[in-house]
Amino acid sequence: MSEAAPKPEELVQINYDPPRRDWRNAHVDYRKGTFCYSAAAKNLRYLDLPNPRDWQPFDKNWKLPPNWREIILQGMKERLQKFRSFRLFMDICVRCGACADKCHFFLGSADPKNMPVLRAELFRSVYRRYFTLSGRIFRGLAGGRELTEDVLKEWFYYFYQCTECRRCSVFCPFGIDTAEITMMVRELLNLVGVNTNWVLEPAANCFRTGNHLGIQPHGFKDSIDFAVDELEEITGIRVEAPINRKGAEILFVVPSADYFGTPHYYTLLGYLMLFHEIGLDYTFSAYASEGGNFGLFSSHEMMKRLNAKIYAEAQRLGVKWILGGECGHMWRVVHQYMDTLNGPADFLEEPVSPMTGTRFENARTTRMVHICEFTADLIHNHKLKLDPRRNDHWKVTYHDSCNPARAMGLLEEPRYILRNVSNQFYEMPENTIREQTFCCGSGAGLGTDENIEMRLRGGLPRANAVKYVRDKHGVNLLTCICAIDKATLPTALEYWTPGVEVGGIHELVGNALVMKGEKERTTDLRGEPLHQKEAAVHA
Ligand code: SF4
Ligand code: SF4
């Protein structure tokens, strides 16, 4: 845990009394623990982004280009013409306040500028000043604000305290998507070289090696081979995990954390077991070795470039369609932007499960199916032999990862799988799950150590709901289907709700899956002895 994080008893003292100062005062205190560091110049150079230099948000001089204001205003003008949604979201907010208390960052910090309506107003006020008639004439009287350096610094602070989770949008009567406003502001900041390293380094790595972590093809192969060896020890079965195999039926794409992080890695083991058991004709790609897309957190252009490599690989390898693993923002990009960015992918076939014959009509244009849809369909058609007792050491709850839930409506399939692979599944309170799920507090590139206080504040509402099921039912495992959740929720839970671990759904599928010819299972996929855990639970 970072030194910058205060104790939970201190952090939970949240005072919601509104401050007295005028919200139009743009001064920001860049306090340690509440912001992300700037992007390294080498990453900007690699990505051909403007104004590479050494600077930090707490510096007085941000070394902006001399004409930075003109660049931003020109960028706004172009985007207002290009994106109808952007102009609409600028104009239609009636400031009803329905979204005000829906953001986890506001709930965890009580900073009014973390209310979605006020966060957007930090930007909308500048729009009003320069792009509406009343604002141009009456300026401040019409709710306009001048674009000053302090305003720019305030944008950087608050639009990197939005995880683009879209919970607020669920409650907005006009459907205003604050995440899209955040994306637009970040895109404009990029034009003058104001960006964070936690977003741009993964993007730069992706261009170099195909994945966020910068793992070279041989490193990718090594980790997949390692997983195959480990599975042989656990099950007695040697599975195949083909890479770059031309002519396979399906390209399988996962977030890179699945083969290099824990607890993600146990999910990878689950996939490999499943594919072996059903005899799936598939391949990984050493270049499309990343499903995640940090372009979503920086600019439309970056998002398009990163998404394109998955489809380029599908074409090069000659597969029929694409299957995607447990990832969050990969699915927001595929489900809501891919068709416009790079689609339709009509060189691929409309996905049909080779085991059940089910046609995945929702993937008719993207040609990409979510692993939970795929597995739920296998279970529904009785294609898997499952023994849920092998997960009896877990009392399970499910965190709807924001993007699969709100961006693609994947609500039932994960629960259907969980009910089939586990005997003890408990839901968190209704207003914290499904479409209303609370974010992990660290998405959209905010999951850095230096930002730890803000992450913990943002993670409080989710952790609080987990505490409810931990205390009521003894829940000890939070499952989710997003690589960022799996990376950041362990920290938030250890801090707010100790005693609850984090895992993927396909980890539990792997535990429960009875494979033909397997040896007697003595451990779960974490290598923990099954019988001892069961004994402890039953004691
Ligand atoms: S709920 Fe919608 S209309 Fe109401 S204040 Fe929030 S963004 Fe504006
Ligand atoms: S973090 Fe989520 S709830 Fe908060 S403003 Fe951003 S999109 Fe809305």
Side-chain angles (χ1 to χ4, degrees):
M1 190 75 64
S2 159
E3 287 174 20
K7 293 194 170 69
E9 312 80 80
E10 292 167 39
L11 213 59
V12 85
Q13 302 300 324
I14 302 166
N15 179 2
Y16 291 102
D17 293 342
R20 291 183 170 218
R21 67 173 186 275
D22 186 342
W23 74 268
R24 287 169 297 187
N25 175 358
H27 180 75
V28 169
D29 174 21
Y30 273 94
R31 193 166 50 78
K32 197 175 170 192
T34 65
F35 64 94
C36 301
Y37 293 154
S38 64
K42 66 170 184 172
N43 292 321
L44 270 72
R45 283 194 196 97
Y46 195 87
L47 294 166
D48 286 331
L49 291 176
N51 202 16
R53 71 213 182 280
D54 291 328
W55 71 286
Q56 283 301 343
F58 44 76
D59 293 342
K60 199 166 167 11
N61 181 359
W62 281 21
K63 302 178 191 166
L64 299 172
N67 59 339
W68 68 267
R69 189 181 289 101
E70 287 72 36
I71 295 173
I72 296 270
L73 292 176
Q74 180 60 28
M76 272 178 89
K77 185 178 171 192
E78 286 165 13
R79 284 159 182 79
L80 285 164
Q81 284 163 357
K82 187 171 171 190
F83 299 98
R84 274 187 301 171
S85 56
F86 178 32
R87 184 174 280 278
L88 194 69
F89 295 158
M90 288 295 96
D91 284 332
I92 62 170
C93 173
V94 292
R95 303 192 197 109
C96 68
C99 62
D101 60 351
K102 304 304 186 295
C103 175
H104 46 288
F105 284 116
F106 172 67
L107 293 174
S109 73
D111 182 340
K113 291 186 179 177
N114 272 324
M115 292 179 183
V117 55
L118 190 45
R119 190 192 311 286
E121 197 65 20
L122 302 178
F123 184 62
R124 205 177 265 126
S125 53
V126 172
Y127 160 77
R128 214 174 279 126
R129 157 68 184 85
Y130 294 93
F131 295 95
T132 65
L133 186 61
S134 58
R136 280 198 291 264
I137 298 171
F138 298 112
R139 303 196 173 198
L141 289 176
R145 279 199 310 171
E146 301 294 325
L147 179 54
T148 64
E149 222 172 293
D150 273 350
V151 167
L152 185 99
K153 291 178 178 178
E154 184 189 51
W155 284 358
F156 180 74
Y157 191 70
Y158 286 105
F159 287 99
Y160 280 92
Q161 278 178 24
C162 166
T163 44
E164 303 182 9
C165 78
R166 304 169 75 239
R167 185 171 195 266
C168 51
S169 311
V170 171
F171 297 89
C172 174
F174 296 97
I176 293 174
D177 188 340
T178 307
E180 295 242 338
I181 298 175
T182 293
M183 289 161 68
M184 206 55 77
V185 179
R186 291 188 184 190
E187 185 162 325
L188 292 170
L189 291 172
N190 265 309
L191 298 178
V192 292
V194 173
N195 17 46
T196 69
N197 206 51
W198 197 250
V199 171
L200 288 197
E201 182 139 324
N205 283 341
C206 240
F207 280 107
R208 253 202 320 275
T209 66
N211 56 71
H212 290 157
L213 302 172
I215 297 162
Q216 303 282 351
H218 56 276
F220 174 67
K221 183 171 184 320
D222 280 353
S223 27
I224 299 287
D225 287 349
F226 184 81
V228 168
D229 290 344
E230 197 158 5
L231 271 180
E232 190 169 11
E233 274 178 39
I234 297 171
T235 65
I237 295 172
R238 186 142 192 101
V239 305
E240 271 195 53
I243 299 173
N244 295 345
R245 186 163 65 81
K246 286 194 172 177
E249 182 172 358
I250 293 164
L251 169 64
F252 184 51
V253 179
V254 295
S256 53
D258 278 5
Y259 54 89
F260 247 83
T262 47
H264 314 64
Y265 174 71
Y266 311 121
T267 301
L268 172 75
L269 297 182
Y271 305 142
L272 296 179
M273 294 162 76
L274 177 71
F275 297 162
H276 171 88
E277 190 56 23
I278 60 176
L280 193 69
D281 177 12
Y282 79 105
T283 183
F284 287 100
S285 154
Y287 181 53
S289 51
E290 179 65 73
N293 187 328
F294 272 46
L296 184 69
F297 313 143
S298 52
S299 74
H300 286 81
E301 183 54 30
M302 192 81 72
M303 181 166 39
K304 179 183 168 94
R305 288 160 69 188
L306 291 174
N307 171 260
K309 76 180 156 64
I310 296 177
Y311 285 87
E313 274 297 84
Q315 194 158 28
R316 183 180 75 85
L317 295 170
V319 301
K320 290 184 180 166
W321 53 277
I322 308 168
L323 186 62
E326 294 186 12
C327 186
H329 57 281
M330 165 165 85
W331 289 104
R332 165 95 152 126
V333 174
V334 168
H335 210 258
Q336 298 197 315
Y337 297 101
M338 152 34 201
D339 265 344
T340 318
L341 296 175
N342 294 314
D346 44 18
F347 57 89
L348 298 174
E349 291 182 14
E350 197 175 314
V352 175
S353 169
M355 281 74 221
T356 67
T358 297
R359 185 170 291 273
F360 295 99
E361 293 183 356
N362 55 326
R364 184 173 283 152
T365 56
T366 62
R367 316 275 153 110
M368 186 156 173
V369 174
H370 195 289
I371 185 74
C372 284
E373 294 173 298
F374 183 73
T375 303
D377 176 62
L378 291 170
I379 297 173
H380 183 69
N381 285 287
H382 311 292
K383 298 292 180 193
L384 304 180
K385 190 169 176 196
L386 299 166
D387 182 357
R389 288 172 304 173
R390 290 176 178 176
N391 283 313
D392 274 356
H393 50 300
W394 294 122
K395 291 192 175 185
V396 182
T397 192
Y398 177 61
H399 158 69
D400 289 270
S401 302
C402 300
N403 285 308
R406 278 190 281 267
M408 63 183 302
L410 196 79
L411 305 172
E412 298 307 330
E413 291 86 343
R415 291 178 165 81
Y416 180 73
I417 297 171
L418 283 174
R419 290 200 173 94
N420 278 279
V421 300
S422 121
N423 289 318
Q424 306 173 91
F425 171 57
Y426 304 95
E427 291 276 22
M428 287 182 276
E430 237 173 75
N431 61 344
T432 73
I433 57 171
R434 297 178 180 266
E435 292 93 342
Q436 297 187 35
T437 186
F438 272 114
C439 178
C440 64
S442 302
L446 308 191
T448 67
D449 283 350
E450 70 262 19
N451 190 37
I452 189 68
E453 180 184 324
M454 203 41 72
R455 285 173 53 193
L456 293 171
R457 287 186 183 282
L460 173 59
R462 168 43 78 221
N464 203 30
V466 176
K467 181 175 184 303
Y468 177 82
V469 282
R470 182 198 69 181
D471 295 351
K472 187 167 180 189
H473 303 292
V475 160
N476 59 1
L477 183 72
L478 175 76
T479 53
C480 54
I481 51 172
C482 165
I484 290 179
D485 287 339
K486 287 176 199 159
T488 63
L489 278 170
T491 306
L493 295 188
E494 184 196 336
Y495 184 84
W496 292 118
T497 315
V500 182
E501 294 186 42
V502 177
I505 286 199
H506 281 78
E507 175 185 343
L508 299 195
V509 171
N511 281 341
L513 187 68
V514 180
M515 300 174 77
K516 289 182 267 315
E518 69 179 11
K519 68 177 190 187
E520 188 190 348
R521 289 277 184 99
T522 53
T523 69
D524 67 6
L525 294 183
R526 298 187 178 208
E528 301 287 333
L530 278 178
H531 60 281
Q532 281 181 15
K533 279 192 162 185
E534 279 167 359
V537 167
H538 296 141

